[in-house]
Amino acid sequence: MKVGVIGAGMVGACAANAVVLCGAASEVVLVDVNEKLAKAQADDISHAGPFLSATRVSAGRYEDLRGAGIVLLCCGVAQRPGEPRLQLLQRNAAIFRDVVPKVLAAAPDAVLVVATNPVDVMTDLTAKLARLPPGRVLGSGTILDSARLRALVASHVGVASPSVHAIVLGEHGDSEVLVWSNIQVGVFPLASYAAQVGRPITGQAKRQIDEQVRRAAYRIIEVKGSTGFGIGASLARIVQAIRDDEKAVLTLSAPGDAAGPTGEACLSLLRVLGSRGIEATLQSSLTTEEEAALKRSAEILEGARRAISS
């Protein structure tokens, strides 16, 4: 499968590299307004090819996306240290209004995957600009937040992170909802497993993990200026699921509808991901507190959506 990556900055380059590392595509094309940067990133990634995979990596222009099955939208200005993701909204919306039509002109059949922050609002905007069938536009959403939660819980109870099953729903941002009630370690509920190994999940432990998940990007950006490796791996995982028609269940962002409990808000819920994008949305069993928090997150994102529409 051919994959296009729009934006050759940290996120785009890390995503392209991760796709190559796991052999998720036969070809990757990097497109950036800074053509020299795109060429340099493509060359650097391709030089690792002899050790990794036969994926062809190149830099190009929009017309070179022709035939792409997936296009990762990683373009836009970076999040500044301490800046909430929603403050990026107006700055990145203008870029997407220019980019999305160009992508679709070259690759009208591609699944569009949005990674640019604020990802939920940018995904909603992309869906409106693209006017593709439902499911063909999706955002990386809280797939990375869910991975962070899994890693931190795994560290606390002393197991490998793939053994932890945990999700974060709602906004990829400050109002996100850590679904503690559903976390499992292997086949055991988290509290049961933690008690058996003598590492109980206390209120303090939950608060510490919550803070680490919720503030992870801010801490990383403050020190190194951007995040890259985590989101890059997350995007590569999405590419794999689409390429292989996996029907994988992942926390991804997509526009809602009036029938759902979160209305038309574009946010992360459990989605079934296959070759043509999102095929179904699943409803999680939540506590009363988690349901209320998810609705609050939806209201915040709805406000941002209305702001960009006005």
Side-chain angles (χ1 to χ4, degrees):
M1 175 177 282
K2 181 176 181 178
V3 175
V5 181
I6 311 301
M10 178 63 76
V11 172
C14 285
N17 189 54
V19 167
V20 172
L21 281 170
C22 63
S26 58
E27 181 180 0
V28 174
V29 178
L30 282 153
V31 177
D32 195 283
V33 65
N34 184 339
E35 294 183 6
K36 290 183 177 179
L37 175 62
K39 179 66 164 59
Q41 299 282 33
D43 287 348
D44 196 15
I45 295 168
S46 66
H47 294 163
F51 308 113
L52 302 171
S53 70
T55 303
R56 301 184 301 279
V57 186
S58 64
R61 298 180 177 178
Y62 286 99
E63 55 264 32
D64 297 305
L65 298 174
R66 190 169 293 109
I70 304 169
V71 176
L72 307 178
L73 298 173
C74 307
C75 48
V77 292
Q79 188 174 3
R80 296 164 179 161
E83 180 183 29
R85 292 182 179 96
L86 291 180
Q87 287 186 10
L88 288 171
L89 180 55
Q90 297 300 336
R91 295 196 291 149
N92 280 334
I95 294 172
F96 268 58
R97 289 190 177 101
D98 176 63
V99 166
V100 172
K102 294 177 180 177
V103 169
L104 288 174
D109 297 322
V111 176
L112 304 186
V113 181
V114 180
T116 300
N117 278 320
V119 68
D120 302 294
V121 185
M122 300 309 298
T123 300
D124 189 75
L125 174 62
T126 301
K128 286 180 170 57
L129 293 171
R131 298 181 181 179
L132 293 173
R136 284 268 305 280
V137 175
L138 59 107
S140 55
T142 58
I143 186 173
L144 177 54
D145 306 274
S146 296
R148 288 166 174 160
L149 177 57
R150 293 173 65 192
L152 288 163
V153 169
S155 177
H156 181 84
V157 299
V159 299
S161 55
S163 295
V164 176
H165 308 285
I167 58 172
V168 177
L169 303 178
E171 178 196 2
H172 173 55
D174 296 341
S175 71
E176 63 191 24
V177 182
L178 281 64
V179 184
W180 286 99
S181 63
N182 285 354
I183 299 178
Q184 287 188 288
V185 181
V187 298
F188 299 96
L190 173 60
S192 172
Y193 183 90
Q196 289 187 60
V197 297
R199 299 185 180 187
I201 296 293
T202 63
Q204 181 180 0
K206 283 186 176 182
R207 287 190 293 273
Q208 289 175 342
I209 291 173
D210 183 289
E211 193 276 337
Q212 287 178 284
V213 172
R214 204 176 298 274
R215 303 295 298 176
Y218 295 115
R219 288 193 301 273
I220 293 169
I221 291 169
E222 183 179 4
V223 176
K224 59 180 277 188
S226 63
T227 59
F229 301 126
I231 186 58
S234 301
L235 292 168
R237 177 69 187 94
I238 291 170
V239 169
Q240 284 180 315
I242 296 172
R243 179 199 64 184
D244 296 338
D245 194 22
E246 281 187 34
K247 319 300 186 189
V249 178
L250 302 169
T251 53
L252 300 170
S253 186
D257 58 59
T262 54
E264 296 181 357
C266 186
L267 44 62
S268 284
L269 298 171
L270 285 168
R271 319 278 187 179
V272 179
L273 186 63
S275 62
R276 300 308 297 157
I278 292 173
E279 298 183 359
T281 296
L282 308 175
Q283 298 300 325
S284 308
S285 176
L286 305 177
T287 66
T288 301
E289 291 78 10
E290 289 164 349
E291 286 182 355
L294 185 57
K295 288 180 180 178
R296 285 195 298 272
S297 188
E299 289 168 0
I300 290 169
L301 289 168
E302 271 294 277
R305 183 174 73 88
R306 287 192 294 269
I308 200 172
S309 300
S310 61

